[in-house]
Amino acid sequence: MEKSGSVDSLGSKPSSRQPSVDSLSSTSTSRSDRSAQAKPPSVLSSDSVSTSAEFSPELRVKPKATAKKAHRDSDKEEPQLLPNETVQDMAYDITYFCPFTGALRGTVMVTNYRLFFKSMDKDPAFMLDLPLGVVSRVEKIGNASNRVDSSYGVVCKDMRILRFSHKQVDDTLKKSIFEVLMKFAFPVSNGLQIFAFEYGQVFPENGWKVYDPISEYKRQGIPNESWRITKVNDHFELCDTYPSTLVVPVNIPDEDLKRVAAFRAKGRIPVLSWIHPESQATVTRCSQPMVGVNGKRSKEDEKYLQAIMDANAQSHKLFIFDARPSVNAAANKMKGGGYESEDAYQNAELVFLDIHNIHVMRESLRKIKDLVYPNIEDSHWLSNLESTHWLEHIKLILAGALRIADKVESGKTSVVVHCSDGWDRTAQLTSLSLLMLDGYYRTIRGFEVLLEKEWLSFGHRFQLRIGHGDKNHNDADRSPVFIQFIDCVWQLTRQFPAAFEFNEYFLVTILDHLYSCLFGTFLCNSEQQRLKEEIPKRTVSVWSYINSQLEEFTNPMYVNYSNQVLFPVVSLRHLELWSGYYIRWNPRMKPQEPIHQRHKELLAKRAELQKRVNELQREVTNRSASSSSERAGSPTRSITPVQTFV
Amino acid sequence: MLSQSSIGARSRDVFGLRCLPGECVLQRTVMVRKKLTAREGRGWLSGTLFCTHFRVAFVPQDCPKADDNSDPILLGDHDIALASIEKVVAVGPNRTKLVTPNSSLKFTPEELVLYCRDMRVMCFLFDRLTPDAQVLEITYTIAKTYQPLKPGSVLAFQNGALGSVEMKQFLSNRHRDSHMNWFESASDWEQELERCGATSWRVSSVNDRFEMSNSLSRFIVVPQKVLDTELKKSFAHFNEGRIPRWCWRHPRGSDLLRMSSFQNNIYHEKDDIRNLEMVLFGCQSSLCVVVELGDELPSPADIQLAHSRLRALCLGDISSSVSVPDDKWLSTLEGTHWLDYIRSCLRKASEVSCLLRSGHLTVALQEVEDRDMSCVVSSLVQVMCDPHYRTQHGFQGLVQKEWVMAGHRFYSRINYHRDSDKEESPVFLLFLDCVWHLWFQFPSRFQLTDDFLLALHDSVHLPLFSTFLSNCQRERCKRSQNVGQLYTPVNGWRDMLGPDSSSDTSDPPLPPVWDWALQYSRERRDGFVQPVAPTPPLQPLLNGNLNTNLDTHRLADAGPGSVFLLSRGAFTCPANLPPWRSGGSGAYRKSHRRAMSCENVPGLERLLKAWALTELPQNTATTSGPKGPLDPYEPLLPLLMGPCMSLWRECYLRGALHAQAFSHPVSTNRPHPVDRLAQEVQQLQNQLDQLSPHAAPDSLTVTSDPRRPDTNLNQSTNNSTFLYSALRPKTTPSPTSTNQHTSRGPTSASAPPPRPTRDGPKHSFLFGHSAVAETRSDPRYHPPPGATKLPKSNGSSLTS
């Protein structure tokens, strides 16, 4: 009974999975199996459960095979709980107002990890499985005229708003289940622990070992004659938002670094992100210089940038990319910041990339949300989309990253990238240009390294930007900077469908766990905080989960163009809204064809045929070798031209 | 003029360009680089640019020499016919100039940009080493010889391309593709009736001499029980005599008809009404739904306007320097309404498909003239519902049936001669875009590819094909009969009567567009179909009555009894509803619409609702999921929400210059990995085929050399047989491979042919469908001899 395994195997270890080759070549890899395979390791939100071709859990309908099973299990109300997940409250007779199918009556269960709604009104049963980390706020919808029912709106960070209502509780002492929900949805505000610290799942691979800065720099050929690894920030004394391992020019001693740090905002000195294996042109990142209204200068900083330029013998120029619009950069002078003047920095050319700040981005995405959820107005869809400016922002970011990549690759020139603090736009730009420049980062593990390095270790403030477990939903520090970056990556995968080892589902999964608080990866604001909280010890890394079932996230069409630099077309005409993420809740947006599935099966078929050809080849060679030695080579020769590219 | 053709040589090399017979090279420029589009891999390609009196040709530096004895191909991969050039723009150091036949340049162009009618933009860059004189000369030559379309120029172009003696001879000797249905003879139609299992219909030759209707084809399909004499009386009651005719039959027993609007100005006898009823209800259907197409669909003028806006937007013309800024792109695109029109066509077709799916009714598409939108909708419905029309040959047949023979006015709508500007409207291009949308949303349900659609799109702009150069069959016939007429299309029924007489005419015989070998290279044509056909099996329907088992749930759902009564009352009750009695078609339409939308007809309502429901995942899962035997006739219902309507970028934004931010060579996109993967799968399969039957005998006695002729022999007789017979032995494996089989367990059983041992199609998507498809639908994949009776699905021609 392969099919029924889908439900039974919930919660089973991924290690029990078949070796990948076998599961690929098995003809029974049907859709239901796939979703079943996707489920076990974490029993996450249904978001992550759905198959790679479709990401909408809202109306999760189990594939037919499992649906039958669901009937039998219909008495089993609860979902399989995660390790250490405990039920906090349950309530019956709750109405969920699904914007697509109408009101549904069912049961709500709140655990310390999720909200689970199940309605038997529909066949198959309708289920809603929502990790509490996704909840942005819960609001009671006042309805004076209706004293009998109380309504709640659950606003989610992933573009949804869920509406529930239930009968007014007679017993005034008993809390509504949504009050309970609020308590567990915002553990940080309520003095509770984020669920990631309790989640005890063990995975065969330890995702915390994915990124090791020393070996990553070694992969790039560092240290070398121009760059060295410094331990000056070992105890985060130089800069508390930077990682402990930094790469700086060889001829700048650690004392000078401290003086440079004094001149850079938050002490974020220019450090190496990436070095071109041939031209030695580098991508370095930092924060804005503390120029101020008086146009302060720093000899050390100037010398430092000169050293960066000198480290690259190919060019006598250095490009400084300031991600901000020039107006904003100038306005920062009032706050003591600013930008490098070309007088002070000889041979440096400053370029503004006109990317707006986190507040503009937040507002833009909010407009997208209004546009796509729950209903979409068809007649003015494109002009409405235009008025959100979201794609325009995407374009500017991609264009900026493209210019950086072009300068490094074609101009063989080193670049310095910064914005104000160097943890939002800078992270977007460096990581995108690295994706374009280095094929390693386009593999699954490489991408994980890229995120760990450019985002996590260099202190993108995930806690502040996402607000894990924090009820303060209006916090001005929240912003979808990381989502925007993943969107840009998605745009790249659209233009270069074969250049990335991961698929769309991988990106969606990362975003889902950005919010879910199931894994520790995206908690805290910096490496220092993560060490202090002992995150790697006390939580599970999302990469443990992902790397334990890589085939779910693998792009079957991947071709390893490791030495190819990707230059995307950044015109708006070639960008699209990522409807597979933003509009995935709408059942009418479901992709019609599981195209990945077909690709996978083609791969499986090829693997199988290849295997068979090899076997037969061996057989033929053996026989001909035994019969006559002079003909031994011929059968193989006629067979060789198949090249393998995956 | 650099060279003159030498008679006798079929095609020759002139400075590396392979000329057509009689083609003259007018100008040649060396050291030119051509900008490649994203699809071609971006970057640049260097080579030599030619201008002949037929085309602008570009020959890449290291392009392999073609075989001298192979048949001529009109256009190479990098060539543009002069007739498809719309504008020539020279780009100098600081300026750009539109070059007309009379203009003189005051600068030496660095770049030459050719804007084409088919929305390509070709960009040639001159090297510093390119001789200035050559640069200027070729610019002038192209500007002088490309022909802004006007009445005379088209003929000159046709003569230029096809007018030489050799070319005429070559064309008149070409065989028509016998794998597609041309719908020209009565037997063609009968074949279609048989394929669809429409037993209660017959082919009538009542319009044999085009006396009943000028614009209809010679043969029309009408109910068995309607006699020709009765039929004749009906013609007068319809605009242009386009009476209701059968188009297609859904396997569940519904029929699709099309007709023009009723004539109201003549007296109608009771008999006429009875005849009309007979035509509409002639076949067992007791329910008829007339779908009026005028209401929600764009008019030809709307389409023309939208298309011209789209052109202007997408081409980004640098000479006029009114390019739409990037940040206004989306709203400007919306403002063209092109996508809106596509959506409304697809929506209408989806509705009709859902009506048909419910079984046992007649859907008649009605349009005033029945020559534009009814072509679009009827063919879209068939593409959605019938997998056969999603194959290349099936689709070509569909275009023949619903467009060419049905009398779409290609000649006026395309307006080759620029003499019918008011009539011009790219209705056919709109249709192609609709099909592209279907393909885009259901790529694996199509055997044809977007490459094929693109090729067809481009061919429309080439005034060389008999397919597009007439408005109806009557015109085509007239032209081919009249010696000395402007056009002498090789076509249709006359070919079959005897040897073509076009050799005595002075004008070239025009080929049909479907003769792809004439237009495109082998490599390009290979891309017209998916390498591994994914579509469900295309088994011919024997009697067209699949409904016996499929309908059960639908019947309960639709309640045929009630539908029957109500709609019959609304549409057919002779007392009040014959349209010509109730005072004009307007009133008729009204009543019809009321019937369609109001609660009076809950059954019909429910059918359309069923469509809305299929947009929900439940049904999507059943249609696309691997579970259960998939009904191949379940219509492909596209998603039509705003975000789902995308632009056919590969067509409209092909040459867009603004797209090239940096032009570094990136070969990432080529060849598409899916193609490569599929190719590899096929290679492996072929190797397997070679290995498995020969492995045992060969190894003892022969080297690979003796094996060769063996293979070739098989291939030359019939490739498909070879493949199939070669596959056979694997199911009964040789003693040695038995071990492998057993050791590998069930997986080995899924090696091709994979199906027999596994239980049924529910197991896997790939093997459940494409394995079957491989054996049946894709000609290059070992169709079992005899599995398909129809010649079109047994196409060894592709491989031979």
Side-chain angles (χ1 to χ4, degrees), chain B residues 427-503:
Chain B
V427 180
F428 187 65
L429 300 185
L430 182 80
F431 164 67
L432 288 183
D433 201 333
C434 292
V435 177
W436 178 83
H437 268 87
L438 288 173
W439 175 87
F440 187 66
Q441 293 196 17
F442 303 90
S444 74
R445 305 287 292 277
F446 280 78
Q447 185 240 13
L448 59 84
T449 61
D450 58 336
D451 246 354
F452 171 76
L453 295 174
L454 199 59
L456 187 53
H457 175 275
D458 294 349
S459 303
V460 170
H461 296 88
L462 215 55
L464 285 180
F465 305 109
S466 60
T467 314
F468 302 129
L469 277 161
S470 298
N471 283 332
C472 59
Q473 196 183 10
R474 179 168 161 270
E475 269 181 40
R476 280 187 195 89
C477 295
K478 227 163 94 186
R479 288 208 165 113
S480 59
Q481 275 170 329
N482 282 358
V483 178
Q485 267 283 347
L486 279 183
Y487 313 98
T488 318
V490 185
N491 82 38
W493 51 286
R494 270 177 53 86
D495 283 358
M496 291 180 297
L497 296 178
D500 196 53
S501 57
S502 61
S503 47

Side-chain angles (χ1 to χ4, degrees), chain B residues 288-357:
Chain B
C288 173
V289 179
V290 177
V291 179
E292 168 63 49
L293 296 179
D295 298 348
E296 296 153 58
L297 296 179
S299 71
D302 294 338
I303 296 169
Q304 168 67 6
L305 184 63
H307 191 256
S308 55
R309 282 179 180 156
L310 184 73
R311 279 183 69 86
L313 174 64
C314 290
L315 284 185
D317 189 338
I318 49 172
S319 69
S320 58
S321 69
V322 274
S323 161
V324 173
D326 220 23
D327 56 346
K328 290 275 170 275
W329 156 256
L330 290 171
S331 52
T332 321
L333 178 61
E334 181 180 289
T336 64
H337 294 296
W338 181 256
L339 294 177
D340 287 342
Y341 295 156
I342 286 169
R343 179 186 322 179
S344 53
C345 291
L346 286 171
R347 175 169 293 142
K348 185 59 89 184
S350 302
E351 283 171 15
V352 174
S353 301
C354 287
L355 286 177
L356 288 170
R357 173 176 61 177

Side-chain angles (χ1 to χ4, degrees), chain B residues 9-26:
Chain B
R10 215 178 188 192
S11 55
R12 325 126 302 128
D13 268 346
V14 180
F15 306 112
L17 174 71
R18 201 159 161 272
C19 289
L20 299 173
E23 189 177 9
C24 309
V25 172
L26 302 175

Side-chain angles (χ1 to χ4, degrees), chain A residues 27 383 386 573 592 631 643, chain B residues 324 334 442 649 703 764:
Chain A
T27 44
S383 46
E386 183 179 281
R573 290 158 210 237
Q592 306 242 344
R631 291 184 262 106
Q643 36 167 301
Chain B
V324 173
E334 181 180 289
F442 303 90
R649 288 194 170 83
T703 61
S764 116

Side-chain angles (χ1 to χ4, degrees), chain A residues 27 378 382-383 386 395 406 410 572-573 588 590 592-593 605-606 619 623 631 639 643 645, chain B residues 324 326 331 334 343 442-444 615 639 642 649 658 662 664 680 687 703 736 758 764 767 774:
Chain A
T27 44
D378 279 348
L382 289 176
S383 46
E386 183 179 281
K395 171 194 156 173
D406 183 60
S410 316
L572 259 189
R573 290 158 210 237
R588 283 165 192 251
K590 288 222 163 206
Q592 306 242 344
E593 289 207 327
K605 186 164 185 180
R606 192 192 59 167
E619 194 184 318
R623 287 201 191 184
R631 291 184 262 106
I639 297 153
Q643 36 167 301
F645 63 86
Chain B
V324 173
D326 220 23
S331 52
E334 181 180 289
R343 179 186 322 179
F442 303 90
S444 74
E615 285 195 90
L639 299 175
R649 288 194 170 83
H658 49 76
F662 297 92
H664 302 281
E680 281 187 27
Q687 288 182 5
T703 61
T736 35
R758 306 289 294 191
S764 116
F767 298 122
E774 270 161 33

Side-chain angles (χ1 to χ4, degrees), chain B residues 149 410-421 424:
Chain B
L149 291 182
F410 278 113
Y411 181 81
S412 310
R413 289 298 182 217
I414 301 171
N415 191 17
Y416 287 122
H417 288 204
R418 290 290 171 274
D419 55 0
S420 56
D421 287 350
E424 183 178 343

